[in-house]
Amino acid sequence: MNSTNSAASATDAPIRTDVPIRVVVIIGSNREGRFGPVVADWLLSRIRERGDLVADVVDTADVRLPTALSYSPSAEVTAELAKAGPKLADADAFVVLTPEYNHSFPASLKSLIDWHYSEWRAKPVAFVSYGGLSGGLRAVEQLRQVFAELHAVTVRDTVSFHNAGAHFDDEGRHKDPSAPDAAAKGMLDQLVWWGRTLREAKAVRPYAG
């Protein structure tokens, strides 16, 4: 028996496949009167029904990062980064909730993304979008390019709410939940697969891209 291989096997910890994926739901809009929290509550209720996901939330309305980046962040910026950074770093996966503003996504979301880097690397990102006729899909397509640059993996399926305000009642419940519930399940199933796969891969071989 090769003693070197034997020693390595003895010290290698088994990879746990039953540990839930830690997902951070990011509310991308910080506008007054925004619809994002309604969509977030709907999504979180679906996540809580699953045993393979544990959710946390980062709300861009609570993290007031400037749009101008600096190589030497001020004390104020450092304090804001501390609100979101640890949650993003500890996450196995992300779901980004975005509206569509002028065929793109909010500046608040771009600022949150740009002020972080390693937190996104080799992790999966799913999208839930909402808006008018387009349902926010143009914002999602642009976000895919942004996250590709940050070495993240975006999952194929999305959840999109067209004319979102008309589909939820005053209590934040979707009036016809069957279609979005099915879409959410498919998206979250893909997110869990990628989250487990990438987490297990990094446990064996750290990402060096």
Side-chain angles (χ1 to χ4, degrees):
M1 180 180 293
N2 186 306
S3 59
T4 302
N5 290 341
S6 178
S9 299
T11 57
D12 286 346
I15 296 174
R16 293 282 303 276
T17 59
D18 59 335
V19 177
I21 294 298
R22 296 166 296 182
V23 60
V24 168
V25 175
I26 299 171
I27 305 176
S29 172
N30 64 356
R31 282 190 178 182
E32 185 176 350
R34 64 202 172 129
F35 196 70
V38 175
V39 180
D41 287 343
W42 171 86
L43 177 65
L44 288 166
S45 70
R46 273 62 192 168
I47 291 175
R48 294 188 189 106
E49 294 172 353
R50 303 176 61 113
D52 52 5
L53 287 167
V54 175
D56 205 344
V57 176
V58 168
D59 190 341
T60 57
D62 298 330
V63 184
R64 302 183 181 278
L65 292 168
T67 55
L69 301 186
S70 170
Y71 289 108
S72 300
S74 65
E76 291 78 10
V77 170
T78 301
E80 293 299 317
L81 289 170
K83 295 179 181 179
K87 291 183 180 181
L88 301 179
D90 290 342
D92 297 309
F94 306 98
V95 180
V96 176
L97 274 57
T98 184
E100 183 178 311
Y101 297 160
N102 300 322
H103 288 211
S104 188
F105 52 92
S108 55
L109 178 55
K110 187 64 161 64
S111 182
L112 178 72
I113 294 169
D114 286 349
W115 273 103
H116 299 87
Y117 181 67
S118 61
E119 291 85 352
W120 314 114
R121 288 166 65 87
K123 296 179 183 179
V125 183
F127 300 102
V128 175
S129 64
Y130 57 95
L133 292 176
S134 72
L137 291 175
R138 290 172 291 204
V140 168
E141 291 310 306
Q142 293 186 28
L143 281 165
R144 290 188 188 279
Q145 299 178 58
V146 173
F147 279 107
E149 180 64 20
L150 294 167
H151 298 249
V153 177
T154 59
V155 305
R156 192 292 183 183
D157 287 2
T158 64
V159 178
S160 179
F161 293 102
H162 303 258
N163 297 317
H167 293 288
F168 288 83
D169 63 22
D170 293 339
E171 301 299 322
R173 295 177 299 228
H174 199 278
K175 296 176 182 177
D176 183 17
S178 58
D181 282 3
K185 181 183 184 306
M187 179 194 71
L188 293 172
D189 286 348
Q190 291 178 16
L191 189 70
V192 168
W193 188 92
W194 278 107
R196 284 178 172 161
T197 299
L198 292 173
R199 183 172 65 185
E200 291 166 13
K202 288 181 289 186
V204 175
R205 184 176 298 106
Y207 180 71

